[in-house]
Amino acid sequence: VKKPYHHGELRQALIDAARALVREKGSDGFSLSDACRKAGVSTAAPYRHFADKHEILDEVVAQGFADLTLGMQAAATVLPAGASARILGMGHAYLSFAIAEPALFRMMFGQKPDAEPDHLVVVRGKDCFGFVVQEVMSYCAANHVEGDAMLIALQLWTLVHGATSLTIDGDYAKISDQIEVGQILSDASDRLLFSLARRGEQGDQAKGKDHVE
Amino acid sequence: VKKPYHHGELRQALIDAARALVREKGSDGFSLSDACRKAGVSTAAPYRHFADKHEILDEVVAQGFADLTLGMQAAATVLPAGASARILGMGHAYLSFAIAEPALFRMMFGQKPDAEPDHLVVVRGKDCFGFVVQEVMSYCAANHVEGDAMLIALQLWTLVHGATSLTIDGDYAKISDQIEVGQILSDASDRLLFSLARRGEQGDQAKGKDHVE
DNA sequence: TGTACATCAGTGAACGCGCGTTCACTGATGTAC
DNA sequence: TGTACATCAGTGAACGCGCGTTCACTGATGTAC
């Protein structure tokens, strides 16, 4: 194969290379030079497409949020609307995403280096949480839950995010190798949801567990 | 003041300098050279007391866990034994610690750079979680809760850790500036604890909120 | 269809930087006799 | 109490390294006439 002078898809190729390198070496270990090596171009080439290193990483993070949203949507749509299993499935999708790309997950939710956040990243992040709120609202409507769906969504997010962080950072493992994150998640999620729902729906919600993951 | 050739307390001085620099610049921005500058010694001096850079940071992290445990103990002991407010107070102490030293908190619970974890760090970490389990067991005993105290402690830890991470990383703020982490935490913790406790104790637990933070 | 030329996406060499670590050294401390 | 000497905690200069970014450049593309 001959190597053409013009790459043609260099912008996306650099983003893909950056994401792969973040996955392999972590966000700290990532260097622009590495990404250039991987894409097969000189270290000056990226500056035709990006202002600096951070701009590439912002793009990676934005695509990460889009993928996370897609993952949760895929998990939700195969589960019955209004069931707590559907909410739980989204939580498992969140966890699975982070396990597949822990360093990317940390970049998405970790603090930025004091620079103001990228606009596209914020939009994608809000879309992602917006989907969670929407699903929680559907659940609440279907189960006649009185209460602020936003607050409930925040609590579930908090729980799932905690379980995810402690898993990918190896903190559960440092305490004991007997800990099952799936049990923690499903047990606590159900507890949070059940304590809200009115009587009569519980049998319906109690089945359908352990679908995903 | 004359500057003596021998520092005398250089080991602890370097640990203190490292902790201060991590607080100021983050764990990434921290360099051994910076710590030497701050302690007023040459860059070769640390090698009399530590094998390498990581050994200093391990020491900082271990002291961080000790401080976190102390903070939670201090919060717990001023609140009535057996009250849910006591458990909640520990959660707030966890959050306060992380807000005061976010970068240190991230080092404590973030993943290590593939090297095996330091022994002292693991011990201090287990001590810290052990205290939480112990307090949850007391709560369960006082409120006649049937259920695995370890699992309950894990769920509470997960929730509090999630709320703490999302707070210090600015993720709540990215969604909306109206979000109150205190409300999320106390609401969800109470819900997790109440759904376990038997009848009759609820009035006792419902007061005593909003003590700390 | 052919040619002139502007535009654009790459090259490759070089820069300055701060880092972690090593080296031979030197000044201070403390112990043996 | 005094002296010789081993030990130890520092110094300061140097190293090699990989990084992000800039520079003048060159090869390819595409458009005007």
Side-chain angles (χ1 to χ4, degrees):
Chain A
V1 291
K2 66 176 180 184
K3 194 177 155 199
Y5 191 89
H6 286 92
H7 187 288
E9 296 286 349
L10 185 53
R11 183 186 159 87
Q12 188 59 44
L14 283 170
I15 294 171
D16 294 344
R19 180 162 174 172
L21 286 166
V22 164
R23 184 165 34 220
E24 291 165 24
K25 309 195 173 185
S27 60
D28 291 356
F30 167 77
S31 78
L32 197 46
S33 318
D34 264 341
C36 293
R37 237 164 274 143
K38 189 148 200 155
V41 293
S42 75
T43 60
Y47 294 89
R48 294 289 158 198
H49 302 274
F50 303 94
D52 56 18
K53 184 189 180 184
H54 295 101
E55 218 171 273
I56 291 196
L57 290 178
D58 281 342
E59 202 66 38
V60 170
V61 167
Q63 294 196 4
F65 272 115
D67 287 356
L68 174 56
T69 306
L70 285 173
M72 288 197 294
Q73 284 170 344
T77 51
V78 300
L79 291 167
S84 70
R86 183 164 165 129
I87 303 294
L88 186 56
M90 291 168 57
H92 275 126
Y94 191 96
L95 175 62
S96 297
F97 175 87
I99 288 175
E101 305 201 51
L104 174 55
F105 179 85
R106 283 185 204 103
M107 288 183 70
M108 290 160 61
F109 293 102
Q111 99 292 10
K112 298 284 142 198
D114 51 54
E116 81 279 8
D118 180 68
H119 176 253
L120 184 62
V121 167
V122 172
V123 168
R124 292 278 178 274
K126 280 187 176 172
D127 285 351
C128 191
F129 182 67
F131 174 66
V132 174
V133 172
Q134 177 190 312
E135 285 290 325
V136 170
M137 284 180 70
S138 298
Y139 174 86
C140 289
N143 294 275
H144 312 96
V145 170
E146 55 207 6
D148 184 3
M150 171 84 169
L151 179 59
I152 298 166
L154 282 169
Q155 292 178 355
L156 289 166
W157 179 30
T158 300
L159 179 75
V160 171
H161 186 84
T164 300
S165 299
L166 293 172
T167 298
I168 65 173
D169 289 342
D171 295 314
Y172 287 139
K174 243 168 268 161
I175 297 298
S176 156
D177 52 5
Q178 303 289 320
I179 295 172
E180 301 243 11
V181 62
Q183 188 190 4
I184 294 171
L185 250 191
S186 57
D187 218 78
S189 303
D190 272 358
R191 200 100 54 66
L192 283 177
L193 289 172
F194 273 133
S195 65
L196 288 163
R198 290 186 175 174
R199 310 292 129 206
E201 298 282 353
Q202 302 188 354
D204 173 49
Q205 291 161 11
K207 56 185 177 187
K209 262 197 236 174
D210 300 327
H211 262 229
V212 183
E213 168 82 342
Chain B
V1 288
K2 65 176 178 182
K3 193 177 157 200
Y5 191 88
H6 286 92
H7 187 289
E9 296 286 348
L10 184 53
R11 184 186 159 85
Q12 188 60 44
L14 283 170
I15 294 172
D16 293 344
R19 179 162 176 171
L21 286 167
V22 165
R23 183 164 36 220
E24 291 165 24
K25 309 198 174 182
S27 60
D28 290 356
F30 167 76
S31 77
L32 197 46
S33 317
D34 265 342
C36 292
R37 239 164 271 142
K38 189 149 199 156
V41 293
S42 75
T43 60
Y47 294 87
R48 295 288 157 198
H49 302 274
F50 303 93
D52 58 18
K53 185 189 180 185
H54 295 101
E55 219 170 274
I56 291 195
L57 291 178
D58 280 343
E59 203 66 39
V60 170
V61 167
Q63 294 195 4
F65 272 116
D67 287 356
L68 173 57
T69 305
L70 285 173
M72 288 198 293
Q73 284 171 344
T77 52
V78 300
L79 291 167
S84 70
R86 182 162 164 133
I87 304 294
L88 187 57
M90 289 167 58
H92 275 126
Y94 192 97
L95 176 62
S96 298
F97 175 87
I99 289 174
E101 306 201 50
L104 174 56
F105 179 85
R106 283 185 204 101
M107 290 184 68
M108 289 160 61
F109 292 101
Q111 98 292 12
K112 298 286 139 195
D114 51 54
E116 79 279 8
D118 181 70
H119 176 253
L120 184 61
V121 167
V122 173
V123 168
R124 292 276 179 275
K126 282 187 175 174
D127 286 351
C128 192
F129 182 67
F131 175 66
V132 173
V133 173
Q134 177 190 311
E135 285 291 324
V136 171
M137 285 181 71
S138 297
Y139 173 85
C140 289
N143 295 275
H144 312 96
V145 171
E146 55 206 9
D148 184 3
M150 171 84 171
L151 179 58
I152 299 166
L154 282 169
Q155 292 179 353
L156 289 166
W157 178 30
T158 300
L159 179 76
V160 171
H161 186 82
T164 299
S165 298
L166 293 172
T167 298
I168 65 173
D169 289 340
D171 295 314
Y172 287 139
K174 242 168 270 161
I175 298 297
S176 156
D177 52 4
Q178 303 288 320
I179 295 172
E180 300 243 12
V181 62
Q183 189 191 3
I184 294 170
L185 250 190
S186 58
D187 218 76
S189 303
D190 272 359
R191 201 101 54 66
L192 282 177
L193 289 172
F194 273 133
S195 66
L196 288 164
R198 291 186 175 176
R199 313 288 131 207
E201 298 283 352
Q202 304 186 355
D204 172 49
Q205 291 159 12
K207 57 186 178 190
K209 264 197 239 176
D210 301 327
H211 263 228
V212 181
E213 173 80 339

